[in-house]
């Protein structure tokens, strides 16, 4: 069936979980994020897709692909807002990923190194300096440390543990929390990231 988020078509290609109400999800998306921040999203697909490569959602070539097996509307909304953030990299990438944001991220990664070292979690220290996605570092955080442990260790350092994965996920994770949690939390934990989000919002209002 076909639904809409604003004028963006949402195609449901396979049956979602019982806890997901697609019309309500579309309504909640419209209530959460302004249309002006979705200018690079042409279509949303909900189902099972090779493009996901095991992920919950991804943005590619103007489309958001979302796994239909998410358990709740809020999970769906988190995924959509997260991918909306990635879609903004097309127009705002130079503004987002300047030296200020990269240095803020690197500073947090450096702090993370010492926090994990104190807990006897070890990996090649040079990986902490890689701001782009690195599969080995991602596996280390997700599988060796584990996100529950990472959550307790990084409280107040990242708005959520997944933000430590790469500078791109740092931005998208903060963007997600800005709209779905509390902008003040993002401001207090990641002030430069907060200013980037505010700058994009104000630019799109102009």
């Amino acid at each position: 069936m076909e639904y809409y988020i604003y004028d963006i078509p949402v195609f449901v290609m396979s049956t979602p979980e019982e806890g997901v109400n697609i019309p309500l999800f579309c309504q909640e998306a419209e209530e959460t994020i302004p249309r002006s921040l979705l200018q690079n999203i042409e279509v949303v697909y909900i189902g099972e897709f090779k493009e996901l490569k095991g992920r919950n959602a991804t943005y590619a070539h103007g489309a958001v692909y979302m796994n239909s097996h998410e358990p709740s509307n809020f999970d769906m909304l988190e995924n959509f807002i997260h991918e909306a953030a990635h879609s903004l990299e097309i127009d705002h990438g130079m503004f987002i990923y300047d030296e200020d944001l990269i240095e803020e991220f690197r500073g947090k990664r450096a702090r993370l190194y010492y926090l994990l070292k104190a807990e006897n979690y070890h990996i090649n220290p040079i990986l902490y300096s890689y701001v782009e996605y690195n599969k080995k570092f991602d596996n280390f955080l997700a599988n060796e440390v584990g996100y529950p442990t990472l959550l307790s260790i990084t409280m107040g350092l990242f708005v959520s543990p997944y933000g430590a994965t790469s500078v791109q996920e740092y931005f998208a994770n903060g963007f997600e929390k800005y709209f779905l949690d509390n902008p003040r939390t993002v401001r207090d934990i990641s002030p430069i990231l907060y200013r980037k989000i505010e700058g994009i919002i104000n630019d799109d209002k102009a």
Side-chain angles (χ1 to χ4, degrees):
M1 294 184 67
E2 182 180 352
Y3 304 90
Y4 288 89
I5 297 173
Y6 295 108
D7 57 341
I8 301 167
V10 178
F11 294 100
V12 180
M13 313 301 288
S14 61
T15 304
E17 298 294 317
E18 288 186 7
V20 173
N21 181 311
I22 297 298
L24 183 58
F25 156 68
C26 294
Q27 177 185 331
E28 289 169 339
E30 292 183 2
E31 292 171 352
T32 301
I33 188 168
R35 177 66 179 88
S36 61
L37 297 180
L38 306 177
Q39 68 265 33
N40 293 321
I41 299 176
E42 299 171 5
V43 62
V44 177
Y45 296 108
I46 298 172
E48 301 174 38
F49 309 103
K50 66 180 185 302
E51 288 84 357
L52 290 174
K53 299 177 181 177
R55 293 169 291 187
N56 294 328
T58 193
Y59 171 78
H61 310 297
V64 172
Y65 297 87
M66 300 174 62
N67 193 321
S68 59
H69 296 301
E70 290 296 283
S72 71
N73 270 28
F74 188 75
D75 291 292
M76 298 286 286
L77 193 58
E78 280 187 319
N79 292 340
F80 179 73
I81 300 300
H82 190 94
E83 298 311 320
H86 286 308
S87 77
L88 290 167
E89 294 168 342
I90 295 173
D91 296 330
H92 301 281
M94 294 290 289
F95 169 71
I96 297 167
Y97 301 115
D98 66 1
E99 196 59 30
D100 289 341
L101 186 74
I102 290 172
E103 284 305 308
E104 180 175 72
F105 179 70
R106 280 181 174 151
K108 290 178 179 296
R109 274 281 193 84
R111 177 64 177 152
L112 179 63
Y113 166 74
Y114 289 108
L115 289 171
L116 291 179
K117 184 179 179 182
E119 298 293 330
N120 290 315
Y121 291 105
H122 301 286
I123 195 172
N124 188 339
I126 198 170
L127 293 178
Y128 285 89
S129 67
Y130 293 172
V131 299
E132 302 290 333
Y133 176 81
N134 179 274
K135 186 174 182 179
K136 186 175 182 180
F137 191 73
D138 184 21
N139 287 336
F140 168 69
L141 295 180
N143 301 318
E144 187 171 337
V145 180
Y147 285 120
T149 299
L150 202 58
L151 175 62
S152 64
I153 291 174
T154 62
M155 193 75 68
L157 183 62
F158 294 93
V159 295
S160 87
Y162 193 63
T165 305
S166 69
V167 71
Q168 288 84 5
E169 297 307 330
Y170 179 65
F171 166 70
N173 196 237
F175 185 91
E176 176 190 327
K177 295 300 177 183
Y178 180 100
F179 283 100
L180 293 175
D181 191 348
N182 189 335
R184 291 183 180 179
T185 301
V186 181
R187 182 193 65 189
D188 293 344
I189 294 175
S190 302
I192 293 174
L193 173 57
Y194 172 83
R195 291 200 295 271
K196 295 297 181 183
I197 297 168
E198 288 275 298
I200 292 169
I201 293 170
N202 292 331
D203 181 63
D204 284 312
K205 284 180 179 178

